[in-house]
Amino acid sequence: MTDQNPRRTPKPGRARQRAIRAEAARTGVAYSVAARQLETIGLQPGETISSHGRTIYPAGFDSYRERLIERRERRSFDERVADTRRAAILPDGRAQHLVERFPPTRGPAGTGVGLLYHGESRKELLAMLFVIVAAESPGLVPELGDLAWVAELGEETALDMACAELDREARALLDREPAALWSAIEKALALAEHSGEWQIRQDAIRLAARFRTMMTLREGYEGEPYVEGLPLPGVRQILDAVLIVADDGHSPGTRVRMLTEPHTGRTATITGALWGPSGPPVGYVVWLDDPRTVLSVGTDELVVLADQESLTR
């Protein structure tokens, strides 16, 4: 008997062909020219320039995190709907949803990268950022009725699209100086504590109390705020990852290879994304394996290593 649905054998070089087509489209040159350009940088099978593709959950070095993510993928439809209903509740519900969706991890052994998506009170800081956006840019906050309707689909990515402007503005807040962010949180919470909505007032009172426990003062500078207690790197990485769901790019934890001097050929780990007003990342913050140092680079200066895009949910 013959198989009526024979499994196709992947053609060798297909990943390279996709990369060449993508490079040709990006640069506006002919396919053959793009092929020569990629040949000069030594693109290996399965690799891609970091200006293309998407990596949401980098694979390969944290089996526990991968099990958590795979467990989420196996949720029933009812469980998915229950989660998206909670994620549609601002600010706390979405904050909790994002923290659970992007659990803590650490960089590959021997690289010195350390902890990623980590830190106590990540949920509280995310909620505070959403409160700031509501106070400073209320037009970026989606209507609760619209979010409730989208939540019934049980698709978290649909909620990501609805909250894209909110999430991007929250991420932009983390680029402010710590003292400015500290002041913005205080002002936004004080405003929310006098809201006409009972639930908003209660959330603001609780968050304000938590915020005071997270803050310390810089020694020797009376009254100057110091946000050592805020999990800024972990929350920044969570928001980087959720923005990449909608706009493509590569999340913190993705392994890459440098293309530019003086670090050509050296491997590194993405620890953060650099964003413009819209669209995918305009660059990345990377941690070099050797020498161990932090660099900010453009999206055309990195190659995403093979097998990094195997978990792109």
Side-chain angles (χ1 to χ4, degrees):
M1 296 181 66
T2 59
D3 190 348
Q4 299 298 315
N5 296 287
R7 182 175 298 175
R8 292 183 179 181
T9 302
K11 295 181 179 180
R14 181 168 291 174
R16 179 176 179 274
Q17 293 169 4
R18 286 199 301 268
I20 294 172
R21 287 195 295 271
E23 181 68 7
R26 186 181 73 86
T27 58
V29 300
Y31 180 93
S32 59
V33 175
R36 288 195 297 271
Q37 290 175 343
L38 294 181
E39 186 68 26
T40 63
I41 64 175
L43 197 68
Q44 301 299 313
E47 294 183 341
T48 183
I49 303 297
S50 67
S51 55
H52 305 299
R54 182 175 66 174
T55 310
I56 306 303
Y57 297 111
F61 55 87
D62 191 336
S63 59
Y64 176 70
R65 188 181 197 239
E66 288 186 11
R67 287 196 300 271
L68 291 177
I69 294 166
E70 290 169 356
R71 188 180 305 160
R72 281 181 56 82
E73 288 298 301
R74 294 194 297 268
R75 291 171 299 165
S76 68
F77 177 73
D78 288 343
E79 289 172 327
R80 289 173 184 268
V81 171
D83 187 38
T84 51
R85 283 173 178 168
R86 182 185 59 174
I89 301 172
L90 298 173
D92 283 2
R94 180 155 185 79
Q96 181 65 40
H97 166 81
L98 293 179
V99 167
E100 292 178 0
R101 189 169 158 193
F102 300 102
T105 185
R106 63 175 61 248
T111 63
V113 171
L115 300 174
L116 300 167
Y117 304 91
H118 195 269
E120 294 185 8
S121 304
R122 285 165 294 146
K123 184 191 82 169
E124 288 80 4
L125 179 55
L126 271 167
M128 292 172 195
L129 295 176
F130 294 146
V131 171
I132 297 175
V133 177
E136 296 184 353
S137 306
L140 300 182
V141 180
E143 295 291 336
L144 296 184
D146 293 341
L147 290 183
W149 183 87
V150 173
E152 295 305 309
L153 300 175
E155 295 290 340
E156 57 193 17
T157 53
L159 272 179
D160 294 340
M161 297 298 183
C163 294
E165 290 183 321
L166 169 68
D167 293 338
R168 186 177 285 267
E169 185 63 19
R171 173 61 181 82
L173 292 172
L174 294 175
D175 291 333
R176 295 184 182 181
E177 290 295 324
L181 179 61
W182 181 85
S183 178
I185 292 175
E186 278 201 320
K187 291 178 181 178
L189 291 176
L191 181 64
E193 285 185 75
H194 294 87
S195 170
E197 297 289 336
W198 179 86
Q199 187 60 56
I200 294 177
R201 290 200 308 273
Q202 295 304 305
D203 289 344
I205 292 170
R206 178 180 51 79
L207 287 172
R210 181 67 182 123
F211 180 62
R212 287 191 291 271
T213 68
M214 296 162 66
M215 298 299 299
T216 60
L217 294 180
R218 190 186 301 273
E219 185 176 355
Y221 294 86
E222 184 177 354
E224 183 176 344
Y226 184 45
V227 291
E228 182 179 10
L230 299 182
L232 299 176
V235 170
R236 187 180 291 114
Q237 289 159 351
I238 288 172
L239 288 171
D240 283 342
V242 74
L243 288 175
I244 283 167
V245 172
D247 288 311
D248 285 349
H250 305 282
S251 296
T254 302
R255 294 286 289 162
V256 294
R257 175 164 52 86
M258 301 290 295
L259 291 177
T260 53
E261 295 292 348
H263 305 294
T264 304
R266 296 190 181 278
T267 52
T269 303
I270 291 176
T271 59
L274 304 174
W275 298 93
S278 62
V282 297
Y284 294 99
V285 178
V286 300
W287 174 272
L288 279 177
D289 295 349
D290 182 27
R292 294 183 177 182
T293 187
V294 177
L295 297 174
S296 295
V297 298
T299 57
D300 58 349
E301 299 179 52
L302 300 172
V303 166
V304 177
L305 300 183
D307 299 326
Q308 289 298 298
E309 297 186 82
S310 59
L311 290 174
T312 57
R313 293 179 286 273

